[in-house]
Amino acid sequence: MSDVFDRVKKIVVEHLDVEEDKVVEKASFIDDLGADSLDNVELVMAFEEEFDIEIPDDAAEHIQTVGDAVKFISEKTA
Amino acid sequence: MSKRRVVVTGLGLVTPLGCGVETVWSRLVQGQSGLARIEHFETEDLACRIGGIVPRVDGRNGGGPDVEGSLDPDAVLPAREAKRIDDFILYGMAAADEAIAHSGLPLETEEDKVRSGVLIGSGIGGLQTIYDASITLHERGPRKLSPFVIPAMLINLASGQVSIRHGLKGPNHSVVTACSTGAHAIGDAARLIAYGDADAMVTGGAESAITRLGYAGFAAARALSTGFNDNPVAASRPYDKDRDGFVMGEGAGVVVLEEYERAKARGATIYAEVVGYGLSGDAYHITAPAEDGDGGYRAMQAALKSAGMTGADIDYVNAHGTSTPKGDELELKAVERLFGDGASDLVMSSTKSSVGHLLGAAGAVEAIFSILAMRDGVCPPTLNLDNPSVETAINLAPHKAVKKDIEAVLSNSFGFGGTNASVIFRAAS
């Protein structure tokens, strides 16, 4: 879990150019981290790449926070 | 309806001679060349291996962190935003930043914003973005395409990005007319102000086609210089008998246009008035100019008519003059025909000899050069013009800038598809 969180955090910091300490589990990509809808699409693509998984569009729609991403990825890669 | 007067109050340049209006202009007048070997991508299999590349802080084309006029992309916008745009948009934004700052265009109130628009064009748009995306699509499939591919390469996104950045809520428009783009943009934007659609327009052209696809494509059309790969600064030689094609440049030129009374009332520096604009089509060939230069002739004629001028009123012509075997002489003959006996008093030069051919940005960059020529009373030189291929009474300003009092200038731009534009500026009175 912590490994997934750290890797998600690294991607979010790189893509959204935000401070590391802002990337907490409950942080919303759009409301707290300054992303727009296109950033969200790109983040999901980056998660797919990093974890070698596929995130279907309907699942991606529900990934709104850092915690959502970590949870989905952890379940997929478990 | 009576048309309103339109003046130029701000200028911005990103060119192979550097960034910043005064830096570029002084280098141009001194006769410096911005052309060099391409080092940032593989060129060994390309017929043309040289170009006019914008100097950057990363070292590209002689630029560097301490080199005056080097483009620093990070200073234009944060890296996170940079991935959303192709280079042509970056150049357009940098030039627009300079022009807007330079003009002091008021954009504080909602009224100011809704009365100020953007019209920046590009001949080609995000060619490298399209190329990279095509490879990704082919090799990795559609799910691997970035959501930023389309907004990064769309031509009107230069206007879109500039409007978002500066809060310009008036007309948001663009032009795509190959190498006439920059001239058409300025002419069309002036008309939007003249007819009351806006009080101010940020307008010009931007281009970044120095890519493998751009070079392979233009070389296939036999348009590029191929005989000067070992001597880039000699490659662009308009009117010279050894010219063998154009040398591609990249960059952007952006001006701020304003309605005259408003500009005067706010105490803006007025560089020139846009007094004439003419457009025409060749209806002849997709890449070759009409045999008799008829299209260019009629564009110039229409510009003079709209300015209420004759050839005798024009002191300097900034030529299209791309250094192609055919086009240069056709334009020269069209100018001779139009100016008649007055041709002997005329100075006409091609600044493409120094910066190369910036395609969709050329008309805007050259409009700025024309305005500065008028401001300083100096016609920039035509470099490398050792042996003119034809005799002419017109002073083509070979090698060295020519001092001359200039009241009015005409700038020509002609493009693939047989699209022609001429713009006339008069000194601020």
Side-chain angles (χ1 to χ4, degrees):
Chain A
M1 182 77 177
S2 70
D3 170 58
V4 172
F5 177 80
D6 288 343
R7 285 158 74 188
V8 165
K9 183 173 171 174
K10 185 160 177 281
I11 287 169
V12 172
V13 167
E14 272 172 16
H15 280 260
L16 301 181
D17 196 23
V18 289
E19 301 288 330
E20 274 192 41
D21 57 10
K22 294 244 168 69
V23 186
V24 293
E25 292 246 357
K26 63 176 193 305
S28 156
F29 298 123
I30 289 178
D31 296 334
D32 301 316
L33 301 175
D36 64 17
S37 59
L38 297 181
D39 288 315
N40 269 8
V41 174
E42 200 178 50
L43 278 175
V44 166
M45 288 171 62
F47 298 149
E48 288 184 327
E49 190 87 11
E50 171 71 17
F51 296 98
D52 195 22
I53 54 173
E54 191 162 311
I55 306 177
D57 286 352
D58 54 348
E61 278 173 30
H62 296 103
I63 300 178
Q64 299 292 332
T65 66
V66 175
D68 293 343
V70 172
K71 183 163 176 284
F72 182 90
I73 294 162
S74 300
E75 286 169 8
K76 267 273 191 184
T77 54
Chain B
M1 65 179 282
S2 69
K3 288 186 215 126
R4 309 192 301 167
R5 293 173 66 185
V6 181
V7 293
V8 181
T9 60
L11 312 171
L13 283 174
V14 172
T15 79
L17 282 174
C19 307
V21 166
E22 299 306 332
T23 301
V24 175
W25 176 241
S26 73
R27 289 173 181 171
L28 183 78
V29 171
Q30 286 163 28
Q32 293 185 28
S33 173
L35 308 185
R37 281 284 294 218
I38 294 167
E39 306 283 0
H40 63 289
F41 59 81
E42 177 59 50
T43 58
E44 280 312 306
D45 56 350
L46 296 172
C48 178
R49 297 163 202 161
I50 57 176
I53 299 145
V54 172
R56 294 196 185 203
V57 291
D58 69 2
R60 197 178 288 185
N61 195 19
D66 302 319
V67 180
E68 172 97 19
S70 302
L71 180 73
D72 181 359
D74 293 339
V76 180
L77 75 179
R80 194 193 141 214
E81 299 290 326
K83 72 187 174 199
R84 299 179 173 217
I85 61 170
D86 191 272
D87 274 352
F88 84 96
I89 298 178
L90 174 72
Y91 300 156
M93 292 179 82
D97 284 354
E98 184 186 14
I100 290 170
H102 192 198
S103 74
L105 185 67
L107 289 169
E108 287 78 34
T109 68
E110 187 66 9
E111 173 69 6
D112 286 338
K113 290 176 182 174
V114 299
R115 296 297 298 164
S116 303
V118 201
L119 201 173
I120 298 172
S122 178
I124 296 183
L127 200 58
Q128 187 63 37
T129 300
I130 295 168
Y131 178 86
D132 291 339
S134 302
I135 288 175
T136 301
L137 178 62
H138 180 71
E139 292 182 348
R140 307 184 64 206
R143 283 184 56 83
K144 297 296 181 188
L145 273 196
S146 160
F148 299 113
V149 167
I150 300 299
M153 64 85 171
L154 284 181
I155 283 181
N156 72 298
L157 260 283
S159 289
Q161 290 281 7
V162 168
S163 85
I164 293 165
R165 185 180 182 87
H166 296 281
L168 304 162
K169 295 186 175 179
N172 192 299
H173 202 357
S174 194
V175 169
V176 184
T177 51
C179 307
S180 297
T181 297
H184 274 136
I186 292 172
D188 289 356
R191 290 201 172 161
L192 289 175
I193 296 172
Y195 281 87
D197 298 283
D199 292 329
M201 290 294 295
V202 177
T203 180
E207 201 75 81
S208 60
I210 299 188
T211 64
R212 275 180 62 76
L213 181 54
Y215 268 55
F218 276 103
R222 301 294 186 268
L224 297 177
S225 168
T226 57
F228 295 87
N229 287 327
D230 296 324
N231 191 10
V233 300
S236 186
R237 40 194 321 116
Y239 317 109
D240 187 81
K241 68 175 180 52
D242 292 328
R243 69 185 183 276
D244 71 340
F246 80 79
V247 180
M248 202 186 297
E250 61 171 7
V254 173
V255 300
V256 174
L257 302 182
E258 286 185 73
E259 189 274 321
Y260 169 67
E261 295 295 343
R262 194 185 94 141
K264 196 171 74 170
R266 76 174 182 89
T269 300
I270 294 173
Y271 290 89
E273 180 172 357
V274 186
V275 291
Y277 177 37
L279 313 79
S280 74
D282 281 357
Y284 175 70
H285 187 265
I286 49 173
T287 61
E291 287 296 344
D292 51 2
D294 166 65
Y297 179 86
R298 285 184 292 106
M300 288 187 274
Q301 194 177 43
L304 284 172
K305 187 182 172 203
S306 78
M309 289 179 166
T310 68
D313 296 313
I314 303 294
D315 302 299
Y316 169 63
V317 171
N318 187 293
H320 184 56
T322 57
S323 190
T324 51
K326 231 177 183 180
D328 290 6
E329 281 181 32
L330 290 177
E331 181 187 16
L332 186 60
K333 282 176 186 152
V335 172
E336 284 174 339
R337 205 157 80 240
L338 187 68
F339 285 72
D341 294 339
S344 56
D345 297 326
L346 189 65
V347 179
M348 173 163 106
S349 65
S350 170
T351 44
K352 290 186 178 80
S353 60
S354 172
V355 294
H357 186 359
L358 275 70
L359 309 180
V365 166
E366 290 160 18
I368 293 171
F369 292 162
S370 301
I371 290 164
L372 294 169
M374 200 155 55
R375 181 193 71 177
D376 292 353
V378 56
C379 309
T382 303
L383 304 184
N384 303 310
L385 179 47
D386 299 332
N387 301 294
S389 62
V390 284
E391 278 190 32
T392 179
I394 298 172
N395 181 350
L396 297 173
H399 305 295
K400 281 194 158 43
V402 174
K403 283 201 166 62
K404 183 178 183 182
D405 287 335
I406 303 171
E407 276 297 309
V409 296
L410 181 149
S411 182
N412 277 338
S413 295
F414 312 140
F416 279 5
T419 173
N420 313 294
S422 300
V423 185
I424 299 174
F425 299 94
R426 187 166 59 200
S429 54

